[in-house]
Amino acid sequence: MKSRSGIAAGNNKLFSVLIWGTVIFFSILYISLIFNDNLWTDEVFTMTALNKKSVGEMVAYLITDVHPPLYYFYTRVFHFFFGNSVQAQKIASIIPM
């Protein structure tokens, strides 16, 4: 008969395998979506905000959104270094996850 600590260790290992399996599965799923050229409404909104000429214009545009603007400033810096493409925008969204 197994002791309680042996059962707990077995459940702990199973739980760890399930968690890491889920993390790996969704990481692969998110990375595969980078190469999909379909855009969702929020991605179009973000790309429109990033295409504004100045930060002031971007802030004026973002006033219409209900989300905090920190993400948009982060993506603006990301696009400054990596370019303004659909793939770069999707990578910028995946990194904080």
Side-chain angles (χ1 to χ4, degrees):
M1 180 174 270
K2 288 187 176 182
S3 67
R4 288 188 177 259
S5 63
I7 293 171
N11 287 341
N12 231 359
K13 185 175 181 181
L14 177 64
F15 181 73
S16 181
V17 167
L18 287 174
I19 292 294
W20 281 108
T22 302
V23 167
I24 291 169
F25 172 76
F26 281 106
S27 296
I28 291 170
L29 179 66
Y30 285 137
I31 290 170
S32 71
L33 291 176
I34 292 172
F35 304 104
N36 182 349
D37 287 335
N38 297 332
L39 292 174
W40 293 8
T41 305
D42 60 335
E43 293 171 331
V44 172
F45 184 86
T46 301
M47 296 291 281
T48 305
L50 294 175
N51 288 330
K52 300 297 179 187
K53 293 181 182 176
S54 69
V55 175
E57 287 181 19
M58 187 176 83
V59 170
Y61 180 74
L62 292 176
I63 290 173
T64 63
D65 192 23
V66 296
H67 298 98
L70 184 61
Y71 169 76
Y72 299 104
F73 294 122
Y74 156 73
T75 53
R76 188 166 181 105
V77 170
F78 191 87
H79 284 252
F80 176 77
F81 289 108
F82 298 104
N84 194 10
S85 68
V86 173
Q87 284 77 22
Q89 195 268 330
K90 290 184 178 191
I91 291 170
S93 295
I94 290 174
I95 289 175
M97 291 183 182

